Amino acid sequence: MENKKIIDKRQIRLEEVMKADYIPFLGGRPERSKVISTDDIVNLKINLNTTESVEEFIKKYSQ
């Protein structure tokens, strides 16, 4: 029987920790497969500054 009035207040859930892409708090950044170049950074800045919102940016470049 489910009790729908119970609120899960855990900050770290076991189901999240068991995922392969889980990054532990203060665990550092994942290893990069390639170095981010200066051109990539400039292109990102241009793309960020030419879109109206974050939602539009994500929608436009998440293909």
Side-chain angles (χ1 to χ4, degrees):
M1 179 183 290
E2 283 188 35
N3 186 348
K4 296 188 179 194
K5 294 182 180 180
I6 296 175
I7 299 171
D8 189 359
K9 293 184 178 181
R10 296 177 294 167
Q11 291 183 1
I12 301 173
R13 295 179 178 84
L14 181 60
E15 53 271 16
E16 293 172 3
V17 173
M18 300 304 290
K19 291 181 182 177
D21 62 345
Y22 176 75
I23 301 172
F25 181 67
L26 297 177
R29 66 176 174 84
E31 293 295 321
R32 298 191 191 281
S33 58
K34 63 178 187 173
V35 178
I36 299 174
S37 70
T38 307
D39 289 340
D40 293 332
I41 296 170
V42 170
N43 290 335
L44 176 60
K45 287 180 181 180
I46 291 169
N47 293 336
L48 285 171
N49 288 306
T50 57
T51 54
E52 295 291 323
S53 65
V54 174
E55 290 82 11
E56 181 186 341
F57 174 82
I58 292 171
K59 199 179 296 182
K60 188 172 182 180
Y61 296 104
S62 66
Q63 299 173 12

